[in-house]
Amino acid sequence: RGLGSAEIARRLQISSSTVRILRRHFAGGPFILQQDWAPSHGSRSTLAVLEAHFPGFLDKNLWPASSPDLNPMDFSVWGMLEGKIAGKVFATVDDLKAALEVAWASIDDGYLRRTVNSVKKRLRACVKARGSNFEILL
């Protein structure tokens, strides 16, 4: 189902605030958006937002799909978030979302920096292993 121009404009506006947050977080330094290429993330509207706000994002030809060992959210952060809310019962999806937002806000910036900085080592190990399992090389 295609999106109308109003929905695309809304997404662009949301992306603008995200870009401001990212630029502030990275102190004006360079950053590259890593796309996970879930089917909805490859839609025309999403690609329009990416092109408008994240020039140079890694497209699906440059970043392998289903590569959780190379994605900081997958190899580290989601596990930490899950650990922070483990054992709790949530009545609604909104309650779960709220708990995840609180858990996210409590993550130390140093932890996130160390996690992101480990990607280069992981990429080198992946190349050395020729794309095979490389966890043993870390």
Side-chain angles (χ1 to χ4, degrees), residues 28-118:
F31 66 90
I32 297 174
L33 177 71
Q34 175 190 336
Q35 245 275 40
D36 69 1
W37 291 101
S40 63
H41 298 166
S43 69
R44 283 190 300 257
S45 61
T46 300
L47 293 175
V49 169
L50 292 174
E51 291 292 341
H53 292 291
F54 299 100
F57 71 93
L58 299 178
D59 73 15
K60 60 185 167 190
N61 296 318
L62 294 174
W63 194 266
S66 302
S67 53
D69 292 336
L70 299 175
N71 181 332
M73 287 299 295
D74 289 334
F75 71 73
S76 184
V77 178
W78 278 120
M80 175 179 269
L81 289 172
E82 185 178 22
K84 287 180 177 279
I85 64 167
K88 298 177 182 164
V89 177
F90 302 98
T92 66
V93 171
D94 286 336
D95 291 344
L96 172 61
K97 288 179 183 179
L100 285 169
E101 287 176 4
V102 169
W104 174 260
S106 74
I107 296 176
D108 175 56
D109 283 350
Y111 169 80
L112 294 174
R113 282 189 187 88
R114 289 187 302 278
T115 300
V116 169
N117 289 339
S118 73

